């Protein structure tokens, strides 16, 4: 008996659950686990203490009921939740059942107590995490879903709202109700390929269909998770419809800009921080970019001469911080073929071009202007020379008259040396000629314009030159058509033109030959006068320069004849053109507007 008693006691002491025996409300036994639970080191410390001392006050009322139940039913109670008080007054949570036992022959109650404090604490923290996740999902400003084989098994309220469904409706839907199946399948493929190379997040871009049938654009991420023991797709998505629409709007805006720029007849380049975003056709042409070659994405500095880089950079800062366009600034551009191009550039900042503040630059090719500036400077110089010459010429003319007179006087006084005097007289004539030409050059007489028939003017010049022609064995032919045009002109000036041109023709033919003058009025309202010679012609490199002052190939030439003729013809609203074939001859064509035509024989 004692042996079995001892074995029992030993067993009881080793039990992991607490065990306590209560007799008439007082503790008569407690096992080792119980003592630890209550924070008591010695069994004797609690023997005789009332059990109520260790029961939390809130549970005291319930405790006798449990005992009574046990006594009435004669059955062990089920485990019931209690809170006990340790010796140090800390609360521990337990589950407790009562069993009727005999102690010292009396009816006692044995309590089996299971400490669940730790378990409770764990449960509580689990709860907290659940709560945390739940509130996260419900408050996050992104749509969150979990899908299992095309069914929605979780959706957060934001997602439902995004689609215009209630959460309940959401759970009834399949993926095909929410997004296009093509896109889903495409995404599945991406996940498969991505997983194979070790990715665990997959960007998602798709179009969704809302409850009201409208389309929304979605962007987000998905990943594979285990949910309720099943492989599932977890996704977070955002409605980017607004962003997409804004992007579209910006693109439309940019297209509009480009359309306008395409239409503007000036080279234009749009750039963002020195990178070309757009260049119209004229700009490509000016930059010498072959069609089909890309400029977009290239640096503008590739096209700006290095000596202008620093100032261009400075200018760029200025442009981007101002609302006003810059004035035109001269720059040298470098084309891909290395050719340099003088341009001037004006730029302005444009806001919101594809969402950015960019720079629009208008380029003006200065080549033509530089050229015409040169011409202008030259003609300025010329008129200055002309005015100077006129002044000087006037001063020279009078002394020349005196010189000529005295030369003639001397020649009659010293008849033994006529040769010298004729040279002197010739040279004085020559000076007089040059001086006279200078004077015409300086002040073309716009006065004395009358309507005059052309034929007599021309014939008088021809008769003037006849002697010279005969001397060098040249036959002077003239050929008028049936019209007899009149020209609104200054007769003296026209005579001078014909004189200059026909003289040149004669001078070109020292070996003799034929000079032909033809006159014909054409439908265009002009009379065409052509002076045709059979001389050596004018070399090509010279022909464009003829008409420049003092350009002459003749030993005794002045190089002013054609220039003066040009001026006079221009003043008469006509044109003078020289064409020539080497070793065949030269044709000078003068066109003058016809004032009045006597249409003899033309009905
Ligand atoms: P100049 O006769 O005093 O030389 P012009 O102005 O009349 O000056 O002519 C300029 C130059 O043009 C001439 O020197 C000559 O070289 C060339 N030229 C003009 N007319 C002819 C022509 N009919 N045939 C060949 N050369 C010509
Ligand atoms: Mg001449």
């Amino acid at each position: 008996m004692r042996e079995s008693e001892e074995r029992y006691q030993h067993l009881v002491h080793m039990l992991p659950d607490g065990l306590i025996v209560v007799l008439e409300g007082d503790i008569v036994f407690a096992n080792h686990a119980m003592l630890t639970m209550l924070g008591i080191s010695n069994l004797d410390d609690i023997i005789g203490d009332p059990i109520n001392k260790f029961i939390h006050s809130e549970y005291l009322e319930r405790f006798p009921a449990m005992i009574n139940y046990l006594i009435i039913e004669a059955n062990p109670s089920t485990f019931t939740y209690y809170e006990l008080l340790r010796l140090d007054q800390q609360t521990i949570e337990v589950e407790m059942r009562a069993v009727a036992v005999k102690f010292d022959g009396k009816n006692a109650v044995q309590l089996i107590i299971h400490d669940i404090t730790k378990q409770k604490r764990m449960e509580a923290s689990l709860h907290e995490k659940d709560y945390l996740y739940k509130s996260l999902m419900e408050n996050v400003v992104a749509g969150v879903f979990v899908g299992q084989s095309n069914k929605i098994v979780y959706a957060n309220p934001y997602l439902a709202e995004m689609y215009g469904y209630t959460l309940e409706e959401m759970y009834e839907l399949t993926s095909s109700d929410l997004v296009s199946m093509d896109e889903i399948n495409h995404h599945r493929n991406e996940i498969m390929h991505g997983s194979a190379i070790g990715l665990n997040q997959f960007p998602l871009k798709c179009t969704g269909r809302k409850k009201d049938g409208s389309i929304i654009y979605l962007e987000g991420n998905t990943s594979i998770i285990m949910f309720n023991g099943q492989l599932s797709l977890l996704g977070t998505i955002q409605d980017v419809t607004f962003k997409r629409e804004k992007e579209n709007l910006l693109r439309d805006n940019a297209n509009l800009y480009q359309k306008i720029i395409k239409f503007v007849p000036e080279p234009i380049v749009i750039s963002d921080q020195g990178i070309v975003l757009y260049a119209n056709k004229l700009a490509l042409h000016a930059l010498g970019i072959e069609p089909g070659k890309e400029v977009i994405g290239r640096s503008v500095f590739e096209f700006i001469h290095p000596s202008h880089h620093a100032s261009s950079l400075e200018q760029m800062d200025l442009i981007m911080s101002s609302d006003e366009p810059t004035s035109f600034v001269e720059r040298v551009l470098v084309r891909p073929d290395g050719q340099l191009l003088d341009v001037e550039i004006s730029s302005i900042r444009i806001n919101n071009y594809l969402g950015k503040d960019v720079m629009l630059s208008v380029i003006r090719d200065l080549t033509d202007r530089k050229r015409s500036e040169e011409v202008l400077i030259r003609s300025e110089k010329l008129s200055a020379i002309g005015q100077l010459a006129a002044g000087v010429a006037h001063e020279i003319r009078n002394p020349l008259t005196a010189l000529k007179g005295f030369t003639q006087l001397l020649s009659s006084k010293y008849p033994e040396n006529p040769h010298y005097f004729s040279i002197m007289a010739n040279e004085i004539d020559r000076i007089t000629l040059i001086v006279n030409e200078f004077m015409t050059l300086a002040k073309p007489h716009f006065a004395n314009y009358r309507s005059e028939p052309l034929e007599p003017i021309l014939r008088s010049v021809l008769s003037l030159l006849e002697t010279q022609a005969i001397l060098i064995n040249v036959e002077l032919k003239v050929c008028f058509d049936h019209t007899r045009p009149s020209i609104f002109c200054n007769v003296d000036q026209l005579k001078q033109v014909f004189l200059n041109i026909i003289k040149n023709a004669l001078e070109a033919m020292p070996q003799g030959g034929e000079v032909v003058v033809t006159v014909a009025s054409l439908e265009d309202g002009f009379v065409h006068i052509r002076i045709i010679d059979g001389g050596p012609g004018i070399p090509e490199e010279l022909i464009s320069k003829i008409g420049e002052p003092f350009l002459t190939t003749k030993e005794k030439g002045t190089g002013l004849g054609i220039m003066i003729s040009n001026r006079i013809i221009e003043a008469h609203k006509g044109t003078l053109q020289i064409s020539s074939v080497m070793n065949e001859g030269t044709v000078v064509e003068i066109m003058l507007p016809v004032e009045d035509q006597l249409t003899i024989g033309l009905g």
Side-chain angles (χ1 to χ4, degrees), residues 500 504-505 507-508 533 536-538 542 546 551-554 557-563 586:
N500 287 346
N504 278 349
E507 283 162 359
D533 69 54
I538 306 167
L542 201 69
I546 282 184
L551 185 132
T552 177
T553 56
K554 296 167 195 166
T558 61
L560 291 170
I562 290 184
M563 198 197 83
T586 302

